[in-house]
Amino acid sequence: MLSVLRDRTYRHLFAAQVIALIGTGLATVALGLLAYDIAGAQAGSVLGTALAIKMTAYVAIAPAIGAVADRIPRRALMVGADLTRAAVALSLPFVDQVWQVYVLIFALQAASAAFTPTFQAVIPDVLPAERDYTQALSLSRLAYDLESLFSPALAAALLAFMSYNWLFLGTVGGFLASAALVVSAMLPKPVPAAAPVRLPATKREGRVYAKASAGSRLFFTTPRLRALLALNLAVAAASALVTVNTVVYVRSHLGRATGDVAFALGAYGAGSMVVALLLPRVLDKVADRTVMLRGALLLTLVFAAVGAITAADAGAWRWPALLAAWAAFGATCSMVLTPTGRLIRRSAPPEERTSAFAAQFSMSHACWLLTYPLAGWVGAAAGLQWAVVSLGLIACTAALAAVRLWPYDDSDEKPHVHTDLAPDHPHLAGAAEVSSGWSHRHGPAEDALHPEMAAR
């Protein structure tokens, strides 16, 4: 897997991702302590609102960035986002009002919503070979898992010698280092789009809207990407239970020490890491559809196991069982998440990839925007058992929907014929289905789902 790091450009980009993630992890710890200093016992409410603001920024900003990404050099866009994040992190130690935290968090996450989809869209151009790109996806998954384990430990060590405000400087350093590494990378030139059709001034506003929604329309008109939307919801249900309710399980339900919260979260990360390490070889022999759908369906079984653990009032077995269940959640979520980039790369032409990755970024976080508060509110109001039941039903329904939406004989590649974003142009009269600027020539499985296309 590490062989892809021999590529200098990818090595620099991967290092930028890792360093930025470590900086983000330090900021997460420092932000919790800052919220407690400002709001005291209401710190949880402040952090919950900040998380909702984060998801809202992701959902709202990413599609807009996708609409203008082809007008801005990718290096400039990523470096500008890193510098913006560094400036925001530098400002956080000086805030003393809750509303200031909210404003800065929105600015920080808006910059992340610009950086991440652009970064994701660059990697397929850097590593065009399928095997190399799969290894890069696994490394990216490992980077996120390692960040969740390493950053809190690093923050704890640093807090023994300094106040939490200094952690924000570590975040600033991480983003500045990320920007420097992006500058040093030799990024390939993006594939140019075909010359656009000239539109009257009155229709330019519609064109901007069409470009902003291009990635979303691609998702809604491509069967396997429609299935990916459902898979995103299944993963969001599982990760929300872990992220929001781990501390409740460990401290209240099992009555264990505070330090065991880190062990439980570590079990989730470890399960995800093991699968991310194994998947490159598996995906050489097994189709993405098989791996991802099985992962989603296995989530339902893990929810059933967690329901049994939750229903038990006593027993020393509950703690190792919870660790095993959390590791299983991490493993099954990784089965779904790791191959996601492969699906998007196969479904979108090179010049539309940023829009497609932006749509995935936005819509996947919309799922978390739904499941995070649901996990917290239901757990607090009705108890953990009802949180497990409600989120488990969401995961099960989403997994079954994905099976239904993703054709069994879905081909790996679908040829596209470029049109434009102006379906009423005279040269496009009678054109095939227009989706994000592209008309899809569907295979037999999709013709079965779209008989009107087969008739054409």
Side-chain angles (χ1 to χ4, degrees), residues 209-237:
Y209 170 79
K211 294 190 69 175
S213 61
S216 300
R217 288 186 288 116
L218 177 66
F219 267 74
F220 287 118
T221 55
T222 306
R224 60 171 164 237
L225 295 185
R226 287 202 298 267
L228 180 57
L229 294 177
L231 293 172
N232 286 334
L233 183 58
V235 168

Side-chain angles (χ1 to χ4, degrees), residues 102-261:
Y102 295 158
V103 170
L104 290 176
I105 288 299
F106 183 86
L108 178 67
Q109 303 307 335
S112 294
F115 180 93
T116 304
T118 307
F119 176 89
Q120 291 172 335
V122 167
I123 302 304
D125 293 339
V126 175
L127 300 173
E130 179 86 352
R131 183 180 180 86
D132 291 342
Y133 182 55
T134 302
Q135 293 176 351
L137 292 175
S138 292
L139 282 176
S140 180
R141 184 76 248 155
L142 287 171
Y144 280 105
D145 294 331
L146 285 172
E147 182 272 328
S148 67
L149 297 174
F150 178 72
S151 291
L154 177 61
L158 292 174
L159 288 172
F161 304 100
M162 61 185 67
S163 70
Y164 71 83
N165 281 328
W166 289 98
L167 297 182
F168 288 119
L169 291 183
T171 303
V172 173
F175 290 139
L176 291 178
S178 173
L181 286 164
V182 171
V183 168
S184 68
M186 300 295 293
L187 301 184
K189 293 183 179 180
V191 176
V197 177
R198 297 287 296 179
L199 294 176
T202 56
K203 295 186 179 180
R204 288 173 186 167
E205 182 178 348
R207 179 180 174 87
V208 172
Y209 170 79
K211 294 190 69 175
S213 61
S216 300
R217 288 186 288 116
L218 177 66
F219 267 74
F220 287 118
T221 55
T222 306
R224 60 171 164 237
L225 295 185
R226 287 202 298 267
L228 180 57
L229 294 177
L231 293 172
N232 286 334
L233 183 58
V235 168
S239 61
L241 183 69
V242 172
T243 302
V244 175
N245 288 321
T246 292
V247 65
V248 183
Y249 270 101
V250 173
R251 299 290 289 135
S252 299
H253 190 65
L254 300 180
R256 299 189 68 87
T258 303
D260 287 337
V261 174

Side-chain angles (χ1 to χ4, degrees), residues 137 219 224-225 227-232 234-235 275 279 282-283 286-299 331-344 346 360 398-400 402-403 406 410:
L137 292 175
F219 267 74
R224 60 171 164 237
L225 295 185
L228 180 57
L229 294 177
L231 293 172
N232 286 334
V235 168
V275 169
L279 272 185
V282 173
L283 291 172
V286 183
D288 294 346
R289 181 185 187 276
T290 301
V291 171
M292 297 176 74
L293 292 182
R294 287 183 180 178
L297 292 171
L298 286 172
L299 281 174
T332 48
C333 286
S334 187
M335 289 175 67
V336 177
L337 293 174
T338 303
T340 293
R342 289 162 52 105
L343 257 66
I344 297 174
R346 291 171 180 171
Q360 162 65 7
L400 294 175
V403 173
W406 197 336
D410 184 44

Side-chain angles (χ1 to χ4, degrees), residues 14-105:
F14 180 69
Q17 180 188 26
V18 170
I19 293 173
L21 283 173
I22 292 173
T24 301
L26 294 177
T28 299
V29 175
L31 185 62
L33 297 172
L34 173 64
Y36 187 81
D37 271 1
I38 295 175
Q42 300 301 314
S45 175
V46 172
L47 290 175
T49 304
L51 183 61
I53 290 173
K54 170 183 175 179
M55 295 302 169
T56 301
Y58 285 172
V59 171
I61 299 299
I65 294 299
V68 301
D70 61 342
R71 304 179 186 177
I72 305 173
R74 295 186 292 187
R75 188 198 310 275
L77 184 58
M78 289 191 288
V79 171
D82 269 336
L83 294 179
T84 300
R85 295 192 291 185
V88 172
L90 188 62
S91 303
L92 279 168
F94 303 101
V95 306
D96 56 6
Q97 300 291 326
V98 170
W99 69 267
Q100 296 171 343
V101 174
Y102 295 158
V103 170
L104 290 176
I105 288 299

